[in-house]
Amino acid sequence: MSILLALDASSSACSAALLRRRAGAEDELLSRFEMTPRAHTRRLLPMVDEVLAEAGVAPAELDAVAYGRGPGSFTGLRIAAGAAQGLAYGLDRPLVGVSTLAALALGAHRRHHFRWLVTALDARMGEIYVAAWQCRDGLPEPLLEEAVMPPERLRLPAGHDDHDWVGVGSGWGLWEQMPAEVQAGMSQRLPEVEAEAADMALLAMGELEAGGGEPAHLVQPVYLRNEVAWKKAR
């Protein structure tokens, strides 16, 4: 049996999830999710306590801790990374960073069965964080690597023009600034959807089972903008 805790504060939402996986049994996934602009510090750790209590799991029983590594809100990424690092370091457990763009793709696939996804977040300063995915065997596979760019520069992956693309995430609020060929290729867009720790837990568990995870002191959020630095803990 493996037990993993995931937490996220990369956007206006705040969430925590606990995933318990047993061989030959269905996953047990418990989560909390709230829209909490500017209240992540106050709500994140209480959410962690809530999912642990509901599952009847003590922190020492965790096998790993996961967090939304970004891209996303600079402040929110620091909060989640710091909280996850503190938990993993104190428990001497591996830490798994999960892409918020991948979590958006997995969430849309799990809930709506979309297969071809472009996940985008509003990066402010006239830019978006963006990636494209094909979902196969229940997991998102990247077709367009994570990048930051003005929405005017977005292009759909070459050779996939005939698919029913779905846009997910706040970056699709900049619809009018996107190229006409991108707009023509989109069958649906869901700009209100936020990344959730529940989907991060599922992605992180897969990485953990494949031998992934790293020591807590190596925590490093992904900002995609070179001018924003995060110093590793010493």
Side-chain angles (χ1 to χ4, degrees), residues 114-155:
F114 298 137
R115 290 188 58 217
W116 304 91
L117 295 144
V118 180
T119 53
L121 296 169
D122 188 345
R124 311 300 178 186
M125 296 190 286
E127 293 181 316
I128 56 174
Y129 303 121
V130 65
W133 315 85
Q134 176 186 2
C135 291
R136 291 195 295 191
D137 299 323
L139 291 173
E141 299 178 1
L143 295 175
L144 175 68
E145 295 296 334
E146 296 182 357
V148 58
M149 65 180 70
E152 295 88 348
R153 286 182 50 201
L154 178 61
R155 299 292 185 272

Side-chain angles (χ1 to χ4, degrees), residues 19 25 41 78 84 101 157 162-163 230:
L19 174 61
T41 303
R78 290 186 178 98
L101 294 172
D162 58 340
H163 298 305
W230 170 271

Side-chain angles (χ1 to χ4, degrees), residues 18-222:
L18 185 135
L19 174 61
R20 180 158 36 196
R21 179 167 290 175
R22 297 183 178 91
E26 289 189 8
D27 287 347
E28 181 184 356
L29 183 60
L30 304 173
S31 65
R32 296 290 187 276
F33 176 90
E34 295 179 14
M35 296 299 295
T36 55
R38 296 176 294 280
H40 297 79
T41 303
R42 179 173 56 83
R43 282 299 298 142
L44 187 58
L45 289 180
M47 283 183 175
V48 169
D49 292 338
E50 290 169 15
V51 295
L52 288 172
E54 183 179 349
V57 170
E61 296 179 81
L62 296 173
D63 294 295
V65 179
Y67 70 102
R69 64 167 173 76
S73 158
F74 300 154
T75 301
L77 294 180
R78 290 186 178 98
I79 291 169
Q85 183 182 46
L87 287 165
Y89 188 81
L91 297 168
D92 191 24
R93 297 293 188 269
L95 194 61
V96 182
V98 179
S99 163
T100 51
L101 294 172
L104 277 170
L106 178 59
H109 178 63
R110 285 205 307 134
R111 294 166 182 82
H112 306 291
H113 308 292
F114 298 137
R115 290 188 58 217
W116 304 91
L117 295 144
V118 180
T119 53
L121 296 169
D122 188 345
R124 311 300 178 186
M125 296 190 286
E127 293 181 316
I128 56 174
Y129 303 121
V130 65
W133 315 85
Q134 176 186 2
C135 291
R136 291 195 295 191
D137 299 323
L139 291 173
E141 299 178 1
L143 295 175
L144 175 68
E145 295 296 334
E146 296 182 357
V148 58
M149 65 180 70
E152 295 88 348
R153 286 182 50 201
L154 178 61
R155 299 292 185 272
L156 295 177
H160 299 280
D161 300 335
D162 58 340
H163 298 305
D164 291 328
W165 289 99
V166 177
V168 181
S170 61
W172 291 96
L174 302 176
W175 175 252
E176 294 183 356
Q177 300 176 41
M178 294 178 180
E181 57 268 30
V182 171
Q183 294 183 2
M186 304 305 295
S187 64
Q188 193 172 348
R189 50 196 167 98
L190 305 170
E192 72 283 356
V193 174
E194 303 280 2
E196 298 190 27
D199 299 303
M200 293 177 181
L202 292 165
L203 289 169
M205 183 66 84
E207 184 171 337
L208 187 69
E209 291 175 339
E214 58 186 8
H217 70 277
L218 295 179
V219 61
Q220 190 170 12
V222 172

